[in-house]
Amino acid sequence: MNSHSFYISIFLQSTDTSNWFTNPGVLGTMFLILFVLVIAVLILTQRVFGYVEKNRIKKELKDKSILAKELMSLDTEEIDHILQARKEALDYKLEGTELGSAQTVVQDRKGIVKEWVNDPGFPLVDEKKHSRVNLEVSPFLRRIVLMFIGSAIFWLLFGTLVGQYLGMKFFWADLDHISWLSFGRLRPVHTNTVFWGWSSQAIVGLAYFVISRTSNTEIYSKKLAYASWISFNLAVLLGNFFLMAGINNGGGEYREYIWPAALFFFLGLFLTFINFYKTVSRRKMSDIYISNWYIIAGMIWTMVLLIIGYLPFYQDGLGETVIAGYYMHQGVGMWFMTTTLGLIYYYLPSSLNKPIYSYSLGVLAFWTQMLFYTMIGTHHFVFSPLPWWLQTVAIIYSVGMFIPVFAGTANFALTMRGSFHEISRSYVLPFFIVGVTFYLVGSSQGSFQAMRFTNFIWHFTDFNVAHSHMTMYGIIAFILWACTYAIVPKITNRAPSQLMVGAHFWIAFLGLTLYMMSLMVGGSLRGLSWVEQNPFIESVILMKPYWVWRAVGGTMMFVSHIIFAINFINMIPKKEAKLDKIDIKNLLKTESHV
């Protein structure tokens, strides 16, 4: 491919599909998926090697201890006899029948067998060493973190249960005939619940600890914290109720909640922003840690986004289309991605007990994220009636997203450098590795998908569903799980079973892989079927086996969420589970200004 044809394939984007698999965007996507599989193999290999090494060291220590005790109990003549027997054993040769008798008790006098076990266990999810570090935190901070994460997990279970039900409808269309269980009503229930119920509340709960810890001071106001928790949950509760009743905000994706419900979310976000800003402004150190940049900036952008997304007077015709692209991409990029990156900058280095690799890379990633992400929403409407120049700007800015993505990924990878042995000790690092890997893969794949040719094949197909789960699940969910497992045991002094944490990790990861791969392959074939102008029903029939694998992967993901909920419950002290027998009314009457 010469430079001229490469330029055409990247920017002008011919829609000739005769050699579609050689297009740079398609090749880049295939390489990224291969990269994910390589990372999975590396984690698995390191885990198995760690298991073998751990057992080898344990066996050596045990043997040395037993030998030392035996030697201490022997007299000189017995020791000489043993040494003589060992010398004779050096000249011994096997005959082939040493252990092949019918005896019930067989003795290995010549040291032929190296080791034996009664219960070898399961090395993929075997017990790991968990952190013994406990952090002294105020009862309020511990409680508010657990409240937000606890309610987030509830919405995770509810939202993904709805998603699981929807996945079954793809190949079992006559599953029900009830209006409030129809696909059109339940699909926005699923997406909005996992967005504003699970991801948002988990982010806020984990951010409370980061803001307080990095500012070396108590959270500004208890009252604001509890009020925001109530407001966030009211938004999801009311929003879902109206959606299932058929009352929604029209066709605006991810903003189907009507404005009264969305207003509660805005209120919760505003109260949290005030609380965080006041806490940082009263910090007991001169510098503002970079995590706080990301978290507070994400909140400011999201409040602006909600105002723009819900004001109606300029959303007519193509104006509504522009706002739809802006809103859906800003919601993911400037709220979920930005704040989650802020969490990584604290929880990853603190989990490894080392500083972040480069503050400068973090600043570069921050400002380029602010620059490029604000202009890429229109790439969802390539080949639409929107101005061609606006589509091109979105594509160029999407390519520009390689800068913050590569900078952030390099920063996290170099921070983890030299610490990969931790994979054999804790599942926190594997969760981080998967999240950071998908940050590189999912974000880069989004840039490739923004190009005109890949849009021509993949847009409006199931490939987009795979991409959204690659980002919101592969990045956001895995990072939130990593942060939860990193901090909750340290503030509650109750660690979950590493067997259960391992089951959560592998079931979620394998489920996501099945889900993602099936829809990417099926979506590509479906797009090519449309390009060939085959009847639409043919593409529906074509997708059926891929939808089955989607349901299998989705089921595994949902099962992993149940395991996560059990793990979280096991990490909560009983007194915290009862909220110290204090009701919310009394909590709202309390005010703390430390």
Side-chain angles (χ1 to χ4, degrees):
M1 180 180 292
N2 59 41
S3 60
H4 177 69
S5 60
F6 182 80
Y7 171 81
I8 291 177
S9 64
I10 290 291
F11 294 105
L12 299 184
Q13 294 292 293
S14 168
T15 55
D16 180 16
T17 60
S18 57
N19 294 312
W20 66 274
F21 50 86
T22 63
N23 180 269
V26 177
L27 288 175
T29 297
M30 293 169 64
F31 171 79
L32 292 171
I33 298 305
L34 180 62
F35 181 72
V36 172
L37 299 178
V38 170
I39 292 296
V41 171
L42 290 177
I43 293 176
L44 179 60
T45 303
Q46 181 67 23
R47 179 66 192 97
V48 173
F49 283 167
Y51 173 81
V52 173
E53 180 66 12
K54 181 179 68 174
N55 281 279
R56 185 188 67 79
I57 295 174
K58 186 187 298 184
K59 181 69 166 53
E60 286 184 358
L61 293 175
K62 183 178 180 180
D63 290 345
K64 289 178 181 179
S65 176
I66 294 174
L67 179 60
K69 291 180 180 179
E70 291 179 350
L71 290 176
M72 292 296 292
S73 63
L74 296 176
D75 54 31
T76 304
E77 292 183 359
E78 290 175 317
I79 294 176
D80 290 340
H81 177 73
I82 292 174
L83 292 176
Q84 182 63 33
R86 295 301 295 169
K87 290 179 181 179
E88 293 175 357
L90 294 176
D91 298 326
Y92 180 78
K93 293 183 179 180
L94 292 175
E95 296 177 2
T97 59
E98 283 72 14
L99 299 179
S101 70
Q103 299 177 10
T104 56
V105 178
V106 179
Q107 294 182 342
D108 181 25
R109 298 184 183 279
K110 303 301 182 181
I112 298 172
V113 179
K114 183 179 179 180
E115 63 177 323
W116 60 273
V117 292
N118 286 325
D119 182 12
F122 187 45
L124 295 185
V125 291
D126 193 66
E127 287 284 343
K128 290 190 177 187
K129 175 183 177 183
H130 61 78
S131 173
R132 298 291 183 181
V133 178
N134 297 316
L135 300 177
E136 292 293 332
V137 297
S138 68
F140 158 72
L141 182 59
R142 179 171 59 251
R143 184 182 299 120
I144 199 66
V145 169
L146 294 180
M147 284 174 62
F148 268 101
I149 296 177
S151 59
I153 292 174
F154 170 81
W155 292 119
L156 172 67
L157 292 175
F158 175 77
T160 52
L161 176 63
V162 173
Q164 172 69 14
Y165 187 72
L166 291 174
M168 295 170 63
K169 284 195 169 192
F170 276 92
F171 57 90
W172 192 357
D174 293 328
L175 188 58
D176 67 72
H177 299 279
I178 304 173
S179 60
W180 56 273
L181 291 179
S182 64
F183 190 93
R185 296 191 188 184
L186 286 185
R187 195 269 178 178
V189 170
H190 165 64
T191 55
N192 285 274
T193 300
V194 295
F195 272 32
W196 317 120
W198 149 241
S199 298
S200 297
Q201 292 197 48
I203 287 170
V204 171
L206 292 164
Y208 262 104
F209 185 86
V210 175
I211 293 290
S212 175
R213 197 75 173 179
T214 57
S215 301
N216 195 25
T217 187
E218 287 287 343
I219 294 297
Y220 171 72
S221 170
K222 292 181 180 180
K223 183 177 180 179
L224 290 177
Y226 293 128
S228 65
W229 181 82
I230 294 173
S231 189
F232 279 125
N233 283 285
L234 277 177
V236 183
L237 185 65
L238 292 176
N240 286 341
F241 173 79
F242 286 121
L243 286 179
M244 297 184 77
I247 304 171
N248 57 65
N249 193 39
E253 190 168 17
Y254 307 147
R255 52 180 173 152
E256 290 91 349
Y257 284 173
I258 59 175
W259 72 262
L263 183 61
F264 277 106
F265 186 86
F266 179 89
L267 177 62
L269 199 60
F270 179 73
L271 296 178
T272 304
F273 166 75
I274 295 298
N275 220 2
F276 285 2
Y277 178 81
K278 289 287 189 180
T279 302
V280 173
S281 67
R282 298 164 69 250
R283 66 190 182 279
K284 297 180 180 178
M285 54 193 69
S286 58
D287 295 328
I288 299 177
Y289 187 61
I290 193 168
S291 287
N292 299 339
W293 287 36
Y294 280 88
I295 293 169
I296 292 178
M299 291 189 166
I300 294 173
W301 269 111
T302 308
M303 287 187 290
V304 173
L305 177 65
L306 286 169
I307 293 172
I308 293 175
Y310 276 89
L311 287 181
F313 55 84
Y314 48 76
Q315 297 193 41
D316 294 324
L318 291 181
E320 198 279 336
T321 303
V322 174
I323 296 301
Y326 176 81
Y327 181 91
M328 72 172 72
H329 228 93
Q330 293 294 92
V332 173
M334 304 306 287
W335 172 231
F336 298 112
M337 197 67 69
T338 300
T339 50
T340 299
L341 290 173
L343 297 179
I344 299 176
Y345 274 102
Y346 174 80
Y347 286 106
L348 176 60
S350 65
S351 298
L352 300 175
N353 195 28
K354 60 166 65 172
I356 197 73
Y357 173 76
S358 171
Y359 192 85
S360 298
L361 274 177
V363 174
L364 171 66
F366 175 82
W367 287 112
T368 50
Q369 172 104 352
M370 298 299 108
L371 171 64
F372 290 113
Y373 223 118
T374 56
M375 293 293 291
I376 66 178
T378 309
H379 75 214
H380 285 275
F381 299 101
V382 174
F383 300 116
S384 74
L386 294 181
W388 190 261
W389 67 265
L390 184 60
Q391 300 175 34
T392 303
V393 167
I395 294 171
I396 294 173
Y397 272 67
S398 298
V399 174
M401 278 300 299
F402 281 120
I403 299 175
V405 170
F406 281 20
T409 302
N411 214 3
F412 302 143
L414 291 170
T415 300
M416 291 186 282
R417 183 181 58 179
S419 300
F420 288 100
H421 61 279
E422 293 291 333
I423 292 176
S424 62
R425 300 182 182 179
S426 169
Y427 272 105
V428 171
L429 185 58
F431 274 108
F432 273 121
I433 290 175
V434 170
V436 171
T437 299
F438 272 108
Y439 174 55
L440 171 65
V441 172
S443 300
S444 298
Q445 194 276 319
S447 295
F448 285 131
Q449 193 172 338
M451 299 172 185
R452 286 194 170 92
F453 180 83
T454 47
N455 253 274
F456 185 62
I457 295 179
W458 288 333
H459 201 40
F460 300 121
T461 71
D462 299 73
F463 195 101
N464 284 322
V465 182
H467 172 72
S468 65
H469 283 76
M470 187 190 303
T471 52
M472 282 302 299
Y473 198 91
I475 305 172
I476 307 302
F478 269 86
I479 293 299
L480 293 179
W481 290 330
C483 297
T484 300
Y485 286 128
I487 194 59
V488 173
K490 295 178 181 178
I491 64 176
T492 63
N493 195 24
R494 288 175 62 91
S497 164
Q498 290 297 294
L499 177 68
M500 293 289 283
V501 178
H504 173 201
F505 174 82
W506 286 110
I507 295 174
F509 180 71
L510 294 176
L512 173 61
T513 302
L514 278 177
Y515 188 102
M516 181 181 69
M517 295 297 292
S518 62
L519 292 186
M520 292 179 83
V521 173
S524 298
L525 296 176
R526 193 178 201 189
L528 291 172
S529 176
W530 293 349
V531 170
E532 294 170 1
Q533 299 185 357
N534 295 326
F536 180 79
I537 191 62
E538 288 189 11
S539 69
V540 176
I541 298 172
L542 177 151
M543 282 300 302
K544 186 172 182 179
Y546 300 101
W547 285 334
V548 172
W549 282 109
R550 164 194 173 131
V552 173
T555 301
M556 294 176 67
M557 294 154 71
F558 179 67
V559 170
S560 75
H561 303 161
I562 296 175
I563 297 174
F564 175 52
I566 295 172
N567 291 340
F568 179 74
I569 292 172
N570 290 333
M571 289 188 285
I572 303 177
K574 293 182 179 179
K575 65 176 182 178
E576 293 293 345
K578 296 178 180 178
L579 203 59
D580 290 344
K581 298 182 180 180
I582 302 176
D583 58 40
I584 295 298
K585 282 188 177 181
N586 291 332
L587 291 175
L588 288 174
K589 294 178 181 178
T590 62
E591 183 73 18
S592 174
H593 296 284
V594 181

